[in-house]
Amino acid sequence: MSTNNNQDHDVPKDHPRYESLQYRHEIIEGMKKLIVAEAGLIAHGRGECFDYMLGEKTSEIAKEAITAAVALLILSKNPIISVNGNVAALCPKKVVELSKIINAPLEINLFYRKEGRIEAIKKVLEDAGAEMILGTDETKMVEIEELSSNRRNVDPNGIKIADVVFVPLEDGDRTEALKNIGKKVIAVDLNPISRTSLWADITIVDNIVRTLPEMVNVAKKLKNSEEKELKYILEKFDNKKNIQASLDTIIQYVKRQKEDAFKILKD
Ligand code: PTJ
């Protein structure tokens, strides 16, 4: 009987969509190892669609949001990085590196609970060099009452006590709940008008696979900056304007693509 298990994912390096296909491969392999939820494949596809409309590159606008996000994380007393299946599969090394540079623990927090997933994600993070991972002992978890999804179960030493929560790509309901209990939220979401994007204090409209390496670079530069310099970065940053500018980037890109497409499409 044929199955989906052993598909050949070899992508020739000169394929025009080589990188994008490689990340698809990571997500699919992650799903086979329980790291990624089945729905994570669909979430990834939705992200790809927005990324296409952003020209598949990190805009200057996103870089401004990244700098503000890093400044906020460094200034915070108890920052935390929430990790889900997609992030663990796509960029384990960079998420661990960022966590170490800014001294923000990693907490596994999942929407789709399934036996073995937490262990699989823990392993991939440990293999990437993580030393302390929160959210792994289900018997010790506490609830955030404002949330009805599985994400309400959080670590008492992590998200529960955090002042700033970094939530790379995820579903919409949590950011609102976290805001309602007084947390500051930094989100990465390729969709600039998702509920997560609109509710976050700082919204990075970019692909997590590009955002995390950029955050690591910025964190290395800002790590020893003076408090007043970091506060100044935050004062200058306007999330609403930043989201508007990301939407404009998409609109302009689609317009240019339309012109190019019509040069190819003959009457
Ligand atoms: O691992 P779990 O169980 O915690 O589940 C994780 C997923 C992502 C499956 C879950 O949170 C989910 O279903 O999310 P949504 O509602 O599909 O939302 C995902 C959002 O992330 C969408 O707005 C996508 O556009 C966006 N997105 C997808 N891939 C990327 C992305 N944003 C940035 N970088 C990406 N690579």
Side-chain angles (χ1 to χ4, degrees):
M1 194 181 76
S2 45
T3 69
N4 270 332
N5 279 342
N6 292 313
Q7 295 178 47
D8 183 2
H9 287 293
D10 279 350
V11 180
K13 284 218 163 61
D14 59 353
H15 191 289
R17 305 208 52 76
Y18 175 75
E19 267 190 37
S20 166
L21 294 176
Q22 279 298 108
Y23 286 122
R24 276 191 186 182
H25 175 62
E26 303 290 339
I27 284 282
I28 293 167
E29 288 303 308
M31 189 201 65
K32 289 184 195 161
K33 294 179 193 154
L34 287 179
I35 299 163
V36 176
E38 280 101 340
L41 269 66
I42 298 165
H44 184 79
R46 186 193 293 178
E48 274 189 352
C49 180
F50 280 103
D51 205 15
Y52 189 81
M53 291 190 288
L54 282 156
E56 292 174 303
K57 57 176 192 258
T58 304
S59 64
E60 289 307 311
I61 299 143
K63 284 185 186 167
E64 279 173 29
I66 286 172
T67 305
V70 173
L72 180 59
L73 283 165
I74 297 173
L75 280 172
S76 62
K77 283 202 180 70
N78 289 312
I80 187 103
I81 303 176
S82 181
V83 180
N84 65 19
N86 288 44
V87 174
L90 290 173
C91 24
K93 289 209 172 108
K94 286 292 165 185
V95 83
V96 171
E97 198 178 350
L98 181 69
S99 145
K100 287 185 178 170
I101 298 172
I102 58 169
N103 252 327
L106 300 166
E107 176 167 339
I108 300 173
N109 182 275
L110 303 181
F111 187 80
Y112 297 100
R113 295 268 161 153
K114 189 177 192 178
E115 214 186 312
R117 278 199 73 205
I118 290 189
E119 292 71 20
I121 294 172
K122 185 169 176 263
K123 181 171 184 323
V124 85
L125 293 175
E126 280 172 350
D127 290 349
E131 278 144 26
M132 212 221 334
I133 304 165
L134 301 174
T136 56
D137 185 347
E138 301 216 45
T139 60
K140 294 209 176 110
M141 302 295 243
V142 292
E143 287 195 358
I144 293 181
E145 282 172 18
E146 285 74 5
L147 246 177
S148 53
S149 78
N150 280 327
R151 291 200 193 279
R152 73 182 173 279
N153 299 309
V154 297
D155 196 300
N157 299 312
I159 291 172
K160 180 73 183 170
I161 55 158
D163 50 352
V164 175
V165 188
F166 177 36
V167 293
L169 74 110
E170 66 167 51
D171 43 283
D173 57 345
R174 182 159 67 139
T175 307
E176 191 176 344
L178 291 174
K179 292 288 304 162
N180 286 339
I181 55 169
K183 317 261 184 212
K184 286 212 182 270
V185 179
I186 298 166
V188 181
D189 198 327
L190 280 158
N191 176 0
I193 46 172
S194 72
R195 276 185 305 145
T196 300
S197 289
L198 299 180
W199 272 92
D201 295 275
I202 298 179
T203 308
I204 302 166
V205 181
D206 190 27
N207 195 322
I208 190 71
V209 302
R210 296 188 301 267
T211 301
L212 280 173
E214 182 69 18
M215 284 181 91
V216 165
N217 290 340
V218 174
K220 283 180 186 161
K221 280 187 212 141
L222 292 185
K223 206 170 90 153
N224 299 315
S225 302
E226 285 189 25
E227 201 176 304
K228 70 169 192 245
E229 192 188 326
L230 299 172
K231 283 188 173 158
Y232 180 66
I233 291 172
L234 284 177
E235 272 162 31
K236 271 193 325 185
F237 181 74
D238 182 331
N239 203 45
K240 189 173 165 190
K241 280 196 184 143
N242 198 274
I243 291 175
Q244 280 169 346
S246 292
L247 278 168
D248 287 339
T249 305
I250 292 179
I251 292 165
Q252 296 309 327
Y253 184 78
V254 173
K255 271 190 184 163
R256 283 200 304 278
Q257 290 297 103
K258 183 182 167 195
E259 282 160 22
D260 290 351
F262 276 84
K263 281 179 205 153
I264 297 169
L265 285 169
K266 306 252 159 47
D267 289 332

